[in-house]
């Protein structure tokens, strides 16, 4: 057993990827200490599924400007740096998640002393900045972000990212390709299990469409609401469930009310723990992925899409570069991105053709969910950690596995 440190500028309970990774290590017998941000009302420290989670306060609960984000990132960086520098050889391995990429440099002292460091790139920070702040790709801040991304990748012992397309991009930007490993954002199949065949619904049952996750403009929930408005006459009993929290929540509620869709569009009370989501979407007829297309979303393979596919829920999706690498028209229903009329037509088409919904669900399960699943894929991560631990033990033979040097 090794003592392993992990950190992410996120709320641990709300970030399924970091939870899956930490729990995979804990299941393998390692002791994991995870440093994360604390939400209001949460304890400063707790044990979650065998992971020791330390929670730190931030500048404010929700940053909105670039300056606020940078200040909060620096505060979090200093907390990681202080934690790791007091006893730099306490941990046998360190795993730092982006964003931002420069957080990985907080492990500089342990890294210099031979401790392996993993840099986990969930999102490409330059693309996210362009998308969030409507910046041009040649903006000087974007250039700086690419530089710190490259230096962070070169500094780390190994780099993780979420998809082969991101691996190609990172390699093209100067991170050694042999360092980069792909750990896909697959749903935890203990939570998102394939649903049993549901009995036929009563004739007066609603046609249920679902979306769960962050409520942000780039994810296109306003387009979904507008499409529901356009499709409402052809789908007389329609229900669109929007589950989650985010910066666009109030605007989306206002749009719903302006279109007088209070009986159609239902919002959750806010954030919903991932463990509770399957029960809330179990009766769904369709899952919606209404992304806007940008340099950031085009390289996404949305986790919610994979969760719907794992459960056997047919999906309506835009044609992004990454989605089309894994799914074709026999597996999902495509629509023209950012086009509410096209999305409405896709909704109506699946409402009117139950047999197509069944076929899409079956094909997506057979060709994706049965091939890619977390129970098997997590070994990509645990095997990488074991290799790094083994390499460190070879360099420092007197450090026993699982016993931090005193």
């Amino acid at each position: 057993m090794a003592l392993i440190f992990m950190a992410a500028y996120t709320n641990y309970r709300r970030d399924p990827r970091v939870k899956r990774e930490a729990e995979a290590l804990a299941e393998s017998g390692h002791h994991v200490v995870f440093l994360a941000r604390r939400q209001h009302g949460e304890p400063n420290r707790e044990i979650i599924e065998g992971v020791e989670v330390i929670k730190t306060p931030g500048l404010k609960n929700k940053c909105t400007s670039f300056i606020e984000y940078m200040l909060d990132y620096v505060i979090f960086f200093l907390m990681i740096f202080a934690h790791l520098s007091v006893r730099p050889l306490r941990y046998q391995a360190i795993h730092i998640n982006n964003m931002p990429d420069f957080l990985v440099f907080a492990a500089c002292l342990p890294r210099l002393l031979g401790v392996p460091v993993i840099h986990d790139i969930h999102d490409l920070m330059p693309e996210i900045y362009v998308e969030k702040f409507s910046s041009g790709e040649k903006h000087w801040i974007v250039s700086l972000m690419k530089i710190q991304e490259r230096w962070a990748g070169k500094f780390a012992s190994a780099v993780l990212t979420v998809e082969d397309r991101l691996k190609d991009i990172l390699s093209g930007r100067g991170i050694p390709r042999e360092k980069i490993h792909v750990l896909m954002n697959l749903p935890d199949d203990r939570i998102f299990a394939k649903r049993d065949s549901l009995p036929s619904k009563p004739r007066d049952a609603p046609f249920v469409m679902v979306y769960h996750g962050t409520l942000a403009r780039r994810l296109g929930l306003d387009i979904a609401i507008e499409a529901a408005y356009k499709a409402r006459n052809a789908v007389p009993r329609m229900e669109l469930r929007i589950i989650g929290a985010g910066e666009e929540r109030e605007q989306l509620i206002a749009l719903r009310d302006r279109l007088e869709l209070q009986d159609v569009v239902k919002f959750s009370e806010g954030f919903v723990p991932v463990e509770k989501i399957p029960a809330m979407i179990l009766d769904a007829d369709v899952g919606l992925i209404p992304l806007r297309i940008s340099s950031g979303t085009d390289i996404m393979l949305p986790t919610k899409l994979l969760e719907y596919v794992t459960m056997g829920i047919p999906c309506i999706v835009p044609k992004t570069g990454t989605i089309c690498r894994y799914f074709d028209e026999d597996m999902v229903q495509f629509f023209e991105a950012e086009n509410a009329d096209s999305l409405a037509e896709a909704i109506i088409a699946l409402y009117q053709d139950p047999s197509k919904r069944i076929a899409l669900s079956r094909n997506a399960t057979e060709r994706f969910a049965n091939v890619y699943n977390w129970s098997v894929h997590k070994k990509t991560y645990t095997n990488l950690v074991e290799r790094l631990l083994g390499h460190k033990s070879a360099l420092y033979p007197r450090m026993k596995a699982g016993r931090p040097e005193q």
Side-chain angles (χ1 to χ4, degrees):
M1 181 184 78
L3 183 59
I4 298 173
F5 177 82
M6 303 179 73
Y9 179 85
T10 188
N11 178 267
Y12 181 81
R13 288 187 178 275
R14 298 189 180 195
D15 194 325
R17 179 178 174 87
V18 302
K19 280 182 86 273
R20 286 194 301 268
E21 291 171 337
E23 289 172 10
L25 292 181
E27 290 166 7
S28 298
H30 300 298
H31 181 186
V32 180
V33 176
F34 201 111
L35 191 69
R37 293 191 79 229
R38 177 168 59 85
Q39 294 288 318
H40 179 71
E42 288 187 325
N44 293 328
R45 186 187 296 257
E46 61 180 324
I47 303 296
I48 304 173
E49 300 295 332
V51 177
E52 181 182 352
V53 183
I54 303 171
K55 303 175 186 180
T56 67
L59 180 69
K60 57 190 295 189
N61 192 48
K62 181 64 179 177
C63 297
T64 54
S65 71
F66 177 71
I67 297 299
E68 287 178 344
Y69 273 111
M70 286 299 107
L71 288 174
D72 217 31
Y73 286 159
V74 169
I75 291 170
F76 193 67
F77 173 92
L78 293 174
M79 290 180 176
I80 299 173
F81 179 80
H83 183 91
L84 293 176
S85 297
V86 172
R87 293 175 61 193
L89 290 177
R90 179 187 179 197
Y91 298 102
Q92 281 78 69
I94 295 170
H95 179 151
I96 307 293
N97 297 270
N98 90 330
M99 299 187 312
D101 295 298
F102 65 73
L103 288 181
V104 74
F105 297 115
C108 58
L109 187 53
R111 179 77 172 105
L112 287 172
L113 294 174
V115 178
V117 175
I118 296 172
H119 179 40
D120 195 341
I121 302 178
H122 302 195
D123 299 290
L124 299 182
M125 199 169 175
E127 279 74 7
I128 293 295
Y129 179 86
V130 169
E131 186 177 273
K132 189 172 183 66
F133 297 104
S134 301
S135 163
E137 293 191 9
K138 296 188 180 300
H139 193 281
W140 66 271
I141 292 179
V142 176
S143 298
L144 283 179
M145 287 181 175
K146 290 181 179 179
I147 291 171
Q148 59 116 28
E149 177 185 79
R150 180 170 65 253
W151 287 356
K154 289 184 175 182
F155 166 84
S157 310
V159 174
L160 283 177
T161 194
V162 299
E163 208 273 322
D164 283 320
R165 196 171 174 203
L166 270 71
K167 179 175 181 176
D168 294 339
I169 292 171
L170 293 169
S171 176
R173 289 179 182 171
I175 298 177
R177 190 173 183 85
E178 63 274 11
K179 270 192 175 184
I180 307 172
H181 307 263
V182 173
L183 185 70
M184 295 176 69
N185 264 343
L186 299 175
D188 189 335
D189 36 19
R190 299 170 303 176
I191 298 172
F192 291 91
K194 182 170 176 56
R195 61 184 181 179
D196 297 327
S197 297
L198 298 176
S200 298
K201 291 186 176 181
R203 293 178 64 89
D204 60 348
F207 182 72
V208 177
M209 302 178 294
V210 294
Y211 169 94
H212 71 275
T214 304
L215 309 186
R217 177 170 172 75
R218 67 193 181 106
L219 302 179
L221 273 302
D222 56 322
I223 299 168
I225 293 173
E226 291 174 6
Y229 175 78
K230 294 175 180 292
R232 70 194 188 286
N233 292 329
V235 187
R237 289 187 57 81
M238 174 196 300
E239 181 178 330
L240 171 56
R241 294 179 195 158
I242 299 177
I243 303 165
E247 58 197 31
E248 288 287 303
R249 177 181 168 84
E250 297 306 318
Q251 294 93 318
L252 294 171
I253 292 175
L255 175 61
R256 177 201 65 181
D257 294 346
R258 187 164 65 251
L259 296 177
E260 299 182 350
L261 291 176
Q262 293 90 338
D263 293 336
V264 173
V265 181
K266 311 290 186 181
F267 287 85
S268 68
E269 291 299 318
F271 168 74
V272 176
V274 66
E275 295 82 4
K276 295 185 178 181
I277 289 173
M280 301 177 71
I281 64 176
L282 189 63
D283 63 338
D285 295 289
V286 168
L288 296 184
I289 311 294
L291 295 176
R292 283 186 161 82
I293 302 297
S294 67
S295 58
T297 59
D298 189 60
I299 57 178
M300 288 173 56
L301 184 59
T303 305
K304 64 183 66 64
L305 166 60
L306 309 187
E307 290 165 347
Y308 298 148
V309 167
T310 300
M311 289 186 66
I313 299 172
C315 296
I316 300 177
V317 304
K319 285 188 174 181
T320 70
T322 298
I323 289 176
C324 289
R325 288 185 66 169
Y326 294 93
F327 296 91
D328 61 30
E329 61 186 9
D330 293 326
M331 302 163 73
V332 292
Q333 175 72 49
F334 286 110
F335 77 100
E336 183 182 341
E338 302 183 46
N339 187 323
D341 290 315
S342 177
L343 179 52
E345 291 170 4
I347 291 169
I348 294 168
L350 289 191
Y351 167 73
Q352 294 176 341
D353 192 349
S355 63
K356 183 173 184 180
R357 299 201 302 270
I358 293 171
L360 292 178
S361 172
R362 182 182 62 247
N363 292 338
T365 296
E366 290 178 355
R367 293 163 55 184
F368 186 91
N370 290 347
V371 176
Y372 301 98
N373 60 82
W374 178 247
S375 294
V376 174
H377 188 60
K378 66 183 177 183
K379 294 177 183 177
T380 298
Y381 175 56
T382 56
N383 289 344
L384 171 63
V385 172
E386 296 296 343
R387 287 199 300 273
L388 292 174
L389 289 171
H391 180 65
K392 180 177 184 294
S393 295
L395 293 174
Y396 296 91
R398 67 191 181 89
M399 183 179 291
K400 303 298 183 181
R403 184 184 304 166
E405 185 174 89
Q406 300 299 318

